[in-house]
Amino acid sequence: MATVFHPAPKISSNEGVQAALSGALGDMLVSAKEEHGEIVLTVARGAIEDALRLLRDSHDYQQLMEIAGADYPGRPERFEVVYMLLSLTKNHRIMVKVTAAEDTPVPTVTTLWPNAGWLEREVFDMYGVLFDGNTDLRRILTDYGFEGHPFRKDFPLTGYTELRYSEDEKRVVYEPVDLPQDLRQFDFMSPWEGADYVLPGDEKAVTPPVDEPKTTEKKSDTGAGEKTNGKAAEKKSAPPPAKKATGRKDPEAPEPTESRPARKPRKATARDTKPATEPKKRASRKKKGDGE
């Protein structure tokens, strides 16, 4: 059996990759670093198409695997568009980034990879990043007429509108979000594990000091004494009334009765039951003319 050799190595190394790609990109490169075992290159926004074409044609990063977005509201250019490239011949991946503001479009890369059309539509739908040159930049994940971009950090988790099926109108209707209760933070720690805060309701409980034992210095503290003993001897309720003599005799309990009289003992003894279980033989009838 012939051995098949594949040009891509099983394990790819980042050694020398950052320096080689940084030198090839030249003025298009803004910064380069190795983070979490991956090479991350940040290029100028206007040069993203030329930079990706160079990486595809001259450095064998043939496939565009994904385009992702990130939102950093505190930055002047709050959005990052991340392109993830794969080299099949080197078995190696790199990440290329550009930054953009809400009103600064990013050049499209649909001229390099056709699948970039759907990936750019997703970033536009979730973050609102505009892609210059994409001829079909429409929403792809959210519903028709959706307002806003749900992956932005300033977009509320509950959204602005909700949809439901209306039995009255027999169709799906859109309504403003109406939450029956506010968002709450629940603590599932058991109180027996020792909470470092006062649990709800415990602030109303009055706990006596357990370190000070209670003592009785005099009898009045415990309720004992002659005065208390005298009150205990007093009868709290009147005795039951005495029975009046009427001269009548109290009725006695009735004699036990039976539902039916006892049967008389049988005189007959047990017989053989075999004849009773066997079928009786019928006497054969004589036909007319027999014996005549």
Side-chain angles (χ1 to χ4, degrees):
M1 184 176 179
T3 305
V4 178
F5 294 96
H6 197 278
K10 292 183 178 180
I11 300 175
S12 58
S13 174
N14 290 334
E15 185 177 358
V17 176
Q18 178 179 343
L21 297 181
S22 299
L25 292 173
D27 296 338
M28 295 184 291
L29 184 68
V30 176
S31 64
K33 62 180 178 179
E34 181 177 351
E35 187 175 19
H36 305 296
E38 293 184 341
I39 302 298
V40 182
L41 306 173
T42 303
V43 301
R45 181 175 60 255
I48 182 61
E49 184 180 1
D50 295 335
L52 294 182
R53 180 182 289 106
L54 177 67
L55 295 173
R56 184 194 66 176
D57 298 342
S58 302
H59 297 274
D60 299 331
Y61 288 94
Q62 301 95 346
Q63 289 192 357
L64 173 65
M65 304 303 297
E66 180 64 280
I67 300 178
D71 183 19
Y72 301 92
R75 299 180 182 177
E77 294 186 344
R78 59 183 295 183
F79 300 118
E80 279 188 355
V81 182
V82 185
Y83 301 84
M84 303 176 190
L85 306 182
L86 170 64
S87 173
L88 298 176
T89 55
K90 299 178 181 179
N91 192 18
H92 192 262
R93 297 174 185 264
I94 60 173
M95 299 172 63
V96 182
K97 293 183 179 182
V98 296
T99 60
E102 298 182 24
D103 55 350
T104 53
V106 178
T108 184
V109 293
T110 53
T111 55
L112 304 177
W113 293 282
N115 67 318
W118 283 35
L119 300 177
E120 290 177 353
R121 286 177 59 183
E122 181 179 348
V123 176
F124 163 73
D125 193 2
M126 296 292 103
Y127 294 94
V129 178
L130 302 176
F131 291 91
D132 186 18
N134 190 320
T135 58
D136 190 22
L137 196 61
R138 296 175 293 131
R139 292 186 180 271
I140 192 173
L141 295 179
T142 55
D143 200 3
Y144 301 104
F146 190 90
E147 296 181 1
H149 304 279
F151 277 9
R152 289 189 178 185
K153 294 294 181 63
D154 51 5
F155 193 86
L157 295 177
T158 57
Y160 296 106
T161 58
E162 60 184 359
L163 57 91
R164 66 175 180 85
Y165 182 78
S166 175
E167 287 290 346
D168 299 334
E169 302 182 22
K170 302 299 181 183
R171 65 181 182 88
V172 175
V173 296
Y174 290 83
E175 295 176 343
V177 174
D178 181 20
L179 298 179
Q181 67 178 17
D182 294 335
L183 183 65
R184 300 180 181 179
Q185 299 293 338
F186 295 95
D187 187 358
F188 298 99
M189 186 182 66
S190 173
W192 289 275
E193 296 177 359
D196 55 355
Y197 54 88
V198 179
L199 296 175
D202 288 355
E203 69 277 359
K204 302 177 183 178
V206 179
T207 55
V210 296
D211 296 336
E212 302 177 4
K214 185 177 180 181
T215 59
T216 54
E217 302 295 340
K218 47 187 178 179
K219 292 182 178 181
S220 60
D221 295 339
T222 61
E226 289 122 10
K227 186 176 180 180
T228 305
N229 294 339
K231 288 185 178 182
E234 296 178 1
K235 294 183 178 181
K236 300 298 181 183
S237 60
K243 293 183 179 181
K244 296 180 180 180
T246 58
R248 296 179 182 178
K249 187 177 181 182
D250 295 336
E252 298 179 358
E255 295 292 335
T257 57
E258 295 183 358
S259 59
R260 62 180 180 178
R263 293 181 178 180
K264 295 181 180 180
R266 297 180 179 179
K267 296 180 180 180
T269 58
R271 298 177 182 178
D272 187 10
T273 60
K274 185 176 181 181
T277 58
E278 294 180 355
K280 295 181 179 181
K281 296 181 180 180
R282 295 183 179 181
S284 60
R285 297 181 180 180
K286 292 182 179 182
K287 296 182 180 179
K288 291 183 180 183
D290 293 345
E292 293 181 356

